[in-house]
Amino acid sequence: MSTAVSPQRNGGARDRAPEGSWRNLLRLHPDTGVLLSSLAILAVLIIVFSFTSEQFFSTTVLVNILNQMAIYIIAGVGMTLVMTSGGIDISIGSIIGVTATLMGILLIDAGVPALLAVLGALVVGAICGAFNGFLVAVVRVPPIIVTLGTFTLFRGIAYMLGEGRVYMRFAEPLPWLGDGRILAVPVPVYIALLTVIGGQFFLTSTRLGQRITAVGGNEEAARLAGIDVVRTKFLTYVIMGSLAGLTTVVIVARQDAAQAVMGTGIELHVIAAVILGGTSLFGGRGLILGTVLGALILGVLNTGLLLSGVVQFWQLVAIGILLIVVVALRIAREGTEGK
Amino acid sequence: MAATAIEPRQESAAAATGPVLEANNLRKSFGGIQAVDDVSFTLGQREILGMVGDNGAGKSTLIKIITGAYRKDSGEVSLDGEPVEIESTAHARSLGMETVYQSSGLVEVMDAPANLFLGREKLKEGWLGRYFGMIDKRFMREETSRLLQQLNITVRNLAAPVQTLSGGQQQSVAVGRAAYWKGRIIILDEPANNIGVDQQRAVLELVRQIRDEHGISFIMISHNMEHIFQVADRVIVMRNGRKVGDKPIGETTRNEVVGLITGALA
Amino acid sequence: MTTAEPDPSAMQAVIDRPSAKRPGFAALWQRWGGDHPNFISLATTALLLVALVIIFTLVNERFVSWRNITIVLNQSASFVILGVGMTFVITTKGIDLSIGAIVALVGTLLGLFIVTWQWPVLPAVLLGLLAGGLCGAFNGICVARFRVPPLIVTLGTMALFRGISFVLLGHQILFDFPDSMLWLARARIFGLSPTIYLAILVTAWGWFFLNKTRTGQAMIAVGGNEEAARLAGIDVARIKFIAYTLMGLLSALATMVWVARMNSVQAAMAYGIEFHAIALVVLGGTSLFGGRGLIMGSLMGAVILGILENGLVIVGLSSFVQQVVLGFIFIAVVAFRTLQFREGQVTR
Ligand SMILES: Nc1ncnc2c1ncn2[C@@H]1O[C@H](COP(=O)(O)OP(=O)(O)O)[C@@H](O)[C@H]1O
Ligand SMILES: [Mg+2]
């Protein structure tokens, strides 16, 4: 066989990878570098807050952070999928509003068992997601515009359904899902853990997961390779919707209350968690584990600032700055890679 | 399966010598532009058919209607003498037509195995594959490494996104993918565009190697006259959506082909 | 740009083309519409406006009373101003989600300056405008210089600016602005408030700027094809920076109108107005895909939204139902505009 095809030898200087052994090490797993940088931010924050607050570095506080972040992690898994597909969903808070109201109506007004109400939240969440997915995938309206519209629409529907009522005091076992503990660890943490494991498996090891990555990485190439781009995108938003429903279940269970206003503003935290975790802004690279790290960064920041006696409102400021700075640094380092 | 990723195409060597592909009176317009205007041509067994023409001559549109990426306005396509109505790129592939498009053939942020199996991921045997759609990454990686080895493409790290490979390597992966999936006809749209000169030669060499060893027919669109005269057996010339020339490579010259492209000889 | 010498082969192709079928009215309309997309979009928006007025008048004749018309116009004024800025941004293929937060921050500052610290109105207003411009410039730098996607930047600054407002004001509500601050909404010039004249002035300037100045044309070019614009020598970063800075400045101006009308500020004010601003721009026919901005369309879009809100109240719908109706209309319009755009793409 001829050795004519040997681009390694022929490779032009332009194409050659930068030398340096640690870079090559990172190159082995292209995601490692990003995950490490998220981990580094997290570590720095933990160390800083351990100095500024005496209570901060304790199991109770750390478990608490995990518990608080569970909802961001659950929704974040869905958002990671959506952003990997090259989209975004800013309507998730409103989907939570709709499904929370629905759970209240089902549990209190209709008196159905908890399991049915949970299923209802998942299904209706999926239906909301399907509405987004239809507009994004079939009509091909830009995702930011679609979900900006449904952000308003779904919230309106939630208020219409709820009519300003607050549903409270649900029968067990629903509250247990929110404040129960297994081996001293709160139940929401387990739910988040299962979601993460499922999401990681789904994204990296299943056919649909791979196709979501391909569609986000290069939609045209995916289409030419015979991937049903419309179906893939549509399903991504459906999954996002049902995970928003699952998030609702945890929120409702934890507060032991349900109302239309729930979930307001959650999209900022969820999207921030996903981006801080290293998922590409342009699609094609999704890091579920990164999203967990991103959520923890936000949690540590919130709790740390609180325990350090900083006025609560600074958290918003900190998140905004962190988000922009981290993204700017990443873009400066990688170029607009993947675009 | 033997230690080869691409299996030699036994039957094609023994089969009849009629054309594998025949296109008759193809037409396609975009609004007012007649991009492909009454074009007919044939592609023989084991033939490398060069296709040249100016920018906008209709080359890409022609192969897109043949491969189902665009719907044709009229005309007929036959494979092995059987008329076929190709509805989609997936359909074209199921009929053994593989295409390497001018751009965006690969998902640059994914690794070589993912790209080789793009849209045709291998599922794991058993319930994990059947019920959870779990893909067999190990199989995909091994097949990729075997294919690349066979094609003499050295990739240091199979898990790296293909955008870290050189342009020539990327194009080789794309061509290799077409061969891997047992295309009997591989269509290349400007395969040597945007890559270095050495790498261009490597890709052309790969085309010839695949044809010689596996008996696959090629249609190769190129801007570069040298490339055509290096590897093609026959050349057809497109101009303003029409076919204005169709010559065996031995019976024409670079000057004549250039004349046909520019219309100086029309 | 056309090439200097005509391509004979291309002309030949035109001559050689087998004579097409006689074009019917639909085809002619389509072709003409393809050449005048702006007119078509503006006309459809105007039709929608007229239809709404007729419908609401039929439902309740009070709707076309002079009093009600001035109410609608007064309510729409701040959105007209925001719409001009948002038209710039969307024309460059960007988006700005932070405008609600900018309004809150500028409002907060105005409240502190004028109500808490008892400053005279003029320097306070000037500083407020400056603050808005700086907020916009910050967005612009992040988008243009650091090339962070606009969505992410403005999502971040939405938190940042709102956060600063809360840090400064907490949950306080500041009110009782002096009459000179309220003049903008309370005074009457030929029966209309200065607000309305301001909105008209801003619209006229915005139209001129986008359509008649080099910077405005560059915005259209950048949104239409950034790479081509760059190759043509346009300083893309500068153009984007200007678009976001103007958006910030106009947000501050809208805040003045807002404060004059409400006579109160708080850190939570203007929550969610980005939806309205984007909705009215899209209603007006500005392309979501960049490269086409219709200031007059945005003007009509703002009035349409104003009429809808006012009309739905008169019809007696709850604010929740209104929100649902608005959401649906928004989605219907963007879906329609998208399909229109995709259709135009194929026959381009
Ligand atoms: N999707 C499309 N929409 C409208 N016109 C197109 C489209 N694709 C190609 N064309 C037009 O058809 C003609 C032929 O284009 P193409 O087949 O790409 O030429 P080539 O590949 O030979 O350079 C050109 O005038 C081009 O502008
Ligand atoms: Mg071409």
Side-chain angles (χ1 to χ4, degrees):
Chain A
M1 204 176 276
S2 83
T3 53
V5 187
S6 167
Q8 197 56 55
R9 205 156 34 82
N10 296 338
R14 169 176 73 95
D15 302 305
R16 199 162 293 152
E19 297 300 330
S21 55
W22 67 271
R23 275 174 190 274
N24 282 341
L25 196 67
L26 293 188
R27 203 162 285 276
L28 270 179
H29 286 283
D31 301 340
T32 320
V34 185
L35 286 178
L36 282 179
S37 72
S38 304
L39 209 56
I41 299 175
L42 185 59
V44 168
L45 285 177
I46 291 180
I47 291 170
V48 167
F49 287 129
S50 299
F51 281 108
T52 58
S53 157
E54 284 173 6
Q55 303 121 289
F56 181 77
F57 200 81
S58 68
T59 342
T60 331
V61 170
L62 295 183
V63 167
N64 226 335
I65 290 177
L66 267 178
N67 191 21
Q68 277 172 16
M69 289 305 111
I71 55 172
Y72 298 136
I73 293 174
I74 296 168
V77 168
M79 189 66 78
T80 308
L81 299 178
V82 169
M83 295 189 64
T84 304
S85 79
I88 194 143
D89 189 345
I90 59 175
S91 74
I92 55 168
S94 303
I95 297 181
I96 289 173
V98 170
T99 44
T101 311
L102 180 90
M103 280 186 76
I105 292 173
L106 283 178
L107 287 166
I108 303 289
D109 293 353
V112 306
L115 184 67
L116 227 57
V118 168
L119 268 181
L122 296 184
V123 169
V124 170
I127 292 173
C128 291
F131 188 68
N132 283 333
F134 173 79
L135 289 162
V136 169
V138 180
V139 189
R140 294 196 290 163
V141 180
I144 168 71
I145 301 295
V146 169
T147 57
L148 192 67
T150 52
F151 171 89
T152 302
L153 175 64
F154 293 156
R155 184 67 68 188
I157 291 176
Y159 283 132
M160 244 171 75
L161 289 175
E163 292 169 341
R165 277 168 300 190
V166 182
Y167 298 90
M168 282 187 297
R169 282 188 281 286
F170 304 119
E172 291 293 347
L174 191 69
W176 176 81
L177 284 178
D179 63 8
R181 287 180 180 244
I182 305 174
L183 301 176
V185 177
V187 175
V189 176
Y190 289 100
I191 300 179
L193 189 69
L194 287 179
T195 312
V196 167
I197 294 173
Q200 174 72 12
F201 171 78
F202 173 75
L203 185 59
T204 59
S205 302
T206 71
R207 178 154 60 185
L208 185 55
Q210 284 285 289
R211 291 184 171 181
I212 288 173
T213 308
V215 165
N218 186 336
E219 183 169 335
E220 184 63 9
R223 194 178 63 82
L224 292 173
I227 290 175
D228 188 338
V229 173
V230 172
R231 175 174 175 275
T232 306
K233 283 189 178 177
F234 176 77
L235 289 177
T236 311
Y237 286 88
V238 173
I239 295 170
M240 173 78 259
S242 55
L243 284 177
L246 185 59
T247 310
T248 307
V249 172
V250 174
I251 295 177
V252 167
R254 182 180 290 160
Q255 304 194 356
D256 201 9
Q259 55 178 321
V261 72
M262 277 177 166
T264 302
I266 195 176
E267 61 282 348
L268 171 72
H269 296 83
V270 172
I271 293 171
V274 173
I275 290 172
L276 290 176
T279 290
S280 167
L281 299 169
F282 308 106
R285 184 183 66 196
L287 304 179
I288 300 277
L289 297 179
T291 299
V292 176
L293 290 178
L296 292 181
I297 290 174
L298 293 183
V300 167
L301 196 65
N302 265 342
T303 308
L305 287 176
L306 200 71
L307 290 181
S308 309
V310 176
V311 183
Q312 190 199 341
F313 299 122
W314 279 103
Q315 291 159 12
L316 266 184
V317 177
I319 291 176
I321 292 177
L322 192 65
L323 182 60
I324 295 172
V325 168
V326 167
V327 171
L329 286 179
R330 249 174 213 152
I331 286 179
R333 207 175 68 80
E334 307 173 11
T336 44
E337 145 271 339
K339 175 78 192 174
Chain B
M1 194 182 272
T4 51
I6 315 175
E7 285 181 274
R9 182 167 290 280
Q10 301 294 353
E11 78 282 15
S12 64
T17 48
V20 258
L21 173 82
E22 194 174 344
N24 283 316
N25 310 101
L26 295 178
R27 285 176 191 278
K28 171 77 186 173
S29 66
F30 295 106
I33 302 163
Q34 193 72 36
V36 170
D37 191 0
D38 199 18
V39 173
S40 307
F41 72 93
T42 60
L43 173 68
Q45 303 277 1
R46 306 178 72 98
E47 186 178 36
I48 299 179
L49 174 64
M51 186 185 292
V52 296
D54 228 340
N55 265 332
K59 309 179 295 288
S60 296
T61 307
L62 177 58
I63 64 155
K64 279 186 176 155
I65 57 184
I66 290 174
T67 57
Y70 288 163
R71 203 170 291 278
K72 60 179 184 285
D73 294 344
S74 64
E76 196 185 71
V77 175
S78 308
L79 289 174
D80 296 323
E82 293 284 320
V84 284
E85 201 56 50
I86 295 168
E87 276 136 19
S88 65
T89 48
H91 184 205
R93 280 193 327 209
S94 73
L95 295 170
M97 268 196 272
E98 291 286 335
T99 313
V100 179
Y101 290 96
Q102 190 163 359
S103 59
S104 32
L106 301 178
V107 180
E108 300 88 340
V109 292
M110 298 179 89
D111 60 17
N115 271 291
L116 182 62
F117 286 85
L118 193 62
R120 292 181 276 205
E121 300 82 358
K122 170 86 166 73
L123 292 187
K124 260 206 156 53
E125 308 285 336
W127 59 277
L128 272 174
R130 195 157 343 122
Y131 300 114
F132 289 89
M134 185 174 180
I135 50 182
D136 193 340
K137 285 204 161 171
R138 182 182 344 184
F139 173 85
M140 286 163 49
R141 199 167 47 236
E142 284 171 358
E143 283 292 285
T144 308
S145 119
R146 206 152 27 174
L147 174 80
L148 295 181
Q149 212 167 9
Q150 207 181 349
L151 301 178
N152 283 323
I153 304 169
T154 323
V155 171
R156 213 179 331 166
N157 176 10
L158 272 187
V162 296
Q163 68 191 359
T164 62
L165 305 184
S166 73
Q169 283 180 315
Q170 289 183 31
Q171 201 53 266
S172 299
V173 169
V175 176
R177 173 170 75 180
Y180 177 82
W181 287 102
K182 311 211 167 36
R184 46 212 304 243
I185 301 170
I186 298 180
I187 300 175
L188 306 167
D189 194 347
E190 312 221 11
N193 228 10
N194 302 327
I195 58 177
V197 176
D198 286 348
Q199 300 181 11
Q200 292 178 358
R201 197 173 313 129
V203 171
L204 294 179
E205 201 56 52
L206 181 62
V207 167
R208 188 137 61 184
Q209 180 196 339
I210 292 174
R211 192 270 305 266
D212 292 348
E213 290 174 10
H214 307 288
I216 295 170
S217 309
F218 281 87
I219 299 177
M220 191 177 91
I221 298 181
S222 180
H223 257 12
N224 189 316
M225 210 52 60
E226 291 310 316
H227 294 170
I228 296 291
F229 279 83
Q230 253 173 47
V231 295
D233 303 309
R234 194 155 57 91
V235 58
I236 65 179
V237 183
M238 294 286 297
R239 190 171 136 68
N240 291 340
R242 299 189 157 186
K243 189 178 88 169
V244 294
D246 189 339
K247 305 259 168 143
I249 214 78
E251 298 172 18
T252 184
T253 63
R254 289 164 175 72
N255 281 342
E256 183 185 19
V257 173
V258 172
L260 288 168
I261 291 174
T262 58
L265 288 183
Chain C
M1 306 293 134
T2 50
T3 43
E5 49 183 324
D7 178 3
S9 60
M11 284 162 64
Q12 197 57 39
V14 174
I15 297 164
D16 286 352
R17 203 168 61 205
S19 59
K21 279 170 285 177
R22 280 259 295 288
F25 173 76
L28 276 176
W29 171 248
Q30 210 171 15
R31 182 174 312 166
W32 188 82
D35 290 343
H36 304 267
N38 292 359
F39 178 82
I40 302 284
S41 294
L42 288 176
T44 47
T45 312
L47 270 179
L48 188 60
L49 183 59
V50 172
L52 275 180
V53 171
I54 293 176
I55 290 172
F56 282 128
T57 312
L58 289 181
V59 173
N60 188 330
E61 60 196 27
R62 208 157 45 107
F63 182 78
V64 280
S65 65
W66 175 249
R67 210 181 109 69
N68 195 45
I69 289 174
T70 52
I71 288 177
V72 169
L73 291 179
N74 267 326
Q75 279 173 348
S76 310
S78 57
F79 280 108
V80 171
I81 297 170
L82 289 170
V84 170
M86 192 61 85
T87 308
F88 294 155
V89 169
I90 293 184
T91 300
T92 65
K93 213 170 182 171
I95 196 141
D96 192 341
L97 299 181
S98 72
I99 59 171
I102 295 182
V103 168
L105 181 54
V106 174
T108 296
L109 291 177
L110 282 179
L112 286 178
F113 294 160
I114 299 175
V115 178
T116 310
W117 300 337
Q118 299 286 319
W119 288 10
V121 166
L122 192 65
V125 165
L126 289 180
L127 273 182
L129 290 175
L130 179 69
L134 286 178
C135 288
F138 182 78
N139 284 335
I141 287 176
C142 293
V143 170
R145 171 71 186 76
F146 299 116
R147 287 187 289 156
V148 181
L151 174 62
I152 304 298
V153 170
T154 57
L155 200 65
T157 52
M158 184 167 120
L160 176 59
F161 300 150
R162 182 76 68 180
I164 296 175
S165 312
F166 272 110
V167 167
L168 291 174
L169 215 52
H171 288 300
Q172 290 180 71
I173 298 176
L174 300 181
F175 52 92
D176 258 348
F177 283 83
D179 284 343
S180 50
M181 185 70 215
L182 307 181
W183 175 83
L184 213 47
R186 305 273 157 99
R188 288 290 177 272
I189 305 173
F190 301 120
L192 294 173
S193 70
T195 311
I196 293 172
Y197 296 102
L198 182 65
I200 293 172
L201 218 63
V202 169
T203 302
W205 168 78
W207 182 88
F208 174 81
F209 181 77
L210 190 60
N211 294 295
K212 300 294 168 192
T213 72
R214 199 183 281 180
T215 311
Q217 290 297 292
M219 280 179 185
I220 296 175
V222 167
N225 187 340
E226 185 171 330
E227 193 51 33
R230 197 192 312 280
L231 294 176
I234 290 174
D235 186 347
V236 173
R238 179 177 153 268
I239 297 301
K240 287 188 179 176
F241 175 80
I242 291 175
Y244 288 91
T245 306
L246 287 175
M247 176 80 256
L249 209 55
L250 290 169
S251 303
L253 198 58
T255 313
M256 308 304 158
V257 174
W258 193 291
V259 173
R261 220 159 58 79
M262 303 295 191
N263 192 13
S264 79
V265 295
Q266 54 179 318
M269 74 190 275
Y271 180 82
I273 59 165
E274 51 281 350
F275 167 73
H276 282 246
I278 294 168
L280 69 90
V281 169
V282 173
L283 260 173
T286 293
S287 172
L288 286 171
F289 304 92
R292 191 154 75 99
L294 302 180
I295 297 282
M296 290 304 163
S298 297
L299 173 68
M300 287 191 279
V303 176
I304 287 176
L305 284 190
I307 289 177
L308 263 177
E309 292 196 327
N310 177 275
L312 293 177
V313 172
I314 288 184
V315 171
L317 292 182
S318 77
S319 68
F320 303 149
V321 182
Q322 280 177 46
Q323 190 173 345
V324 173
V325 171
L326 282 183
F328 260 119
I329 290 178
F330 175 75
I331 285 168
V333 169
V334 292
F336 175 73
R337 296 272 192 231
T338 304
L339 291 174
Q340 225 178 12
F341 172 79
R342 301 283 178 211
E343 197 176 315
Q345 234 183 358
V346 178
T347 53
R348 179 167 49 115

